[in-house]
Amino acid sequence: LLTDGKPTFVNVTFGYNAHKTRGFTWVSTGFRNEYLQYKKAGDSEWITLESFKKGDGRDGKGRNWDSEIYNRIRSFTTDGTYFTVHKCLVDFEEPAERQKYVYRVGYEGHWTDERSFEIRNRQDAIDKGFNYLHVSDQQGFNQEEYETWGLAA
């Protein structure tokens, strides 16, 4: 459920180049700027990206990153809790074999725990295959909304 403090509903998905692009999405209470931080496993310095917001002038490298689909969603739940849905897309370098990355989302003093994922060489993934877990988006932000969804499902 949606909680104050740290971001929730953190998802990492395959991007348009599944072997090297990742999409990050998370939800936080309130309306504030939040960030994705990532680094190669073992590195000490974080790379920091602010979540998308319409018209931020981000270089989309030929992609339409100014589209409404990438804009932050700001709204409120049925109990009046304000929230923001944040999004980032990252193109990583294709490794010779594999590269593990560590990431977190949030803002100073309110970061999620560190999590990790792996980028693989495209041909290696084709030759050896890979496993992944597919999940759907959440259907509510509080108990009342989940109960309503449960009645309709």
Side-chain angles (χ1 to χ4, degrees):
L1 299 174
L2 191 60
T3 59
D4 267 335
K6 294 181 182 179
T8 56
F9 304 120
V10 180
N11 291 291
V12 179
T13 61
F14 295 116
Y16 38 84
N17 287 320
H19 63 292
K20 66 178 188 172
T21 306
R22 293 294 177 269
F24 299 83
T25 306
W26 67 97
V27 181
S28 295
T29 57
F31 301 151
R32 69 182 64 80
N33 294 332
E34 292 196 14
Y35 305 87
L36 161 69
Q37 289 191 323
Y38 68 92
K39 60 185 176 181
K40 289 181 179 179
D43 284 359
S44 58
E45 296 294 319
W46 291 101
I47 297 169
T48 302
L49 295 175
E50 185 176 354
S51 68
F52 284 116
K53 58 186 174 190
K54 186 175 179 181
D56 67 6
R58 193 173 309 229
D59 179 13
K61 300 177 187 171
R63 295 173 190 88
N64 187 15
W65 285 0
D66 200 31
S67 171
E68 284 290 328
I69 196 168
Y70 297 120
N71 197 21
R72 293 177 188 166
I73 298 170
R74 291 183 165 173
S75 192
F76 57 91
T77 66
T78 56
D79 68 5
T81 302
Y82 289 93
F83 69 89
T84 304
V85 178
H86 297 272
K87 304 169 193 168
C88 281
L89 285 174
V90 181
D91 286 319
F92 294 91
E93 294 177 27
E94 184 172 0
E97 291 184 25
R98 301 167 181 247
Q99 177 61 58
K100 183 176 179 180
Y101 286 88
V102 177
Y103 73 97
R104 62 187 185 179
V105 296
Y107 61 101
E108 196 60 45
H110 299 275
W111 295 107
T112 59
D113 294 337
E114 292 180 13
R115 298 179 176 134
S116 65
F117 63 93
E118 189 174 80
I119 298 292
R120 290 182 52 197
N121 175 276
R122 182 178 186 273
Q123 194 59 52
D124 182 59
I126 291 169
D127 292 343
K128 297 177 183 172
F130 63 96
N131 296 315
Y132 70 98
L133 175 65
H134 177 79
V135 296
S136 178
D137 61 332
Q138 76 279 358
Q139 300 300 314
F141 293 102
N142 58 46
Q143 190 63 39
E144 177 187 21
E145 291 175 359
Y146 276 103
E147 288 172 4
T148 302
W149 177 78
L151 292 173

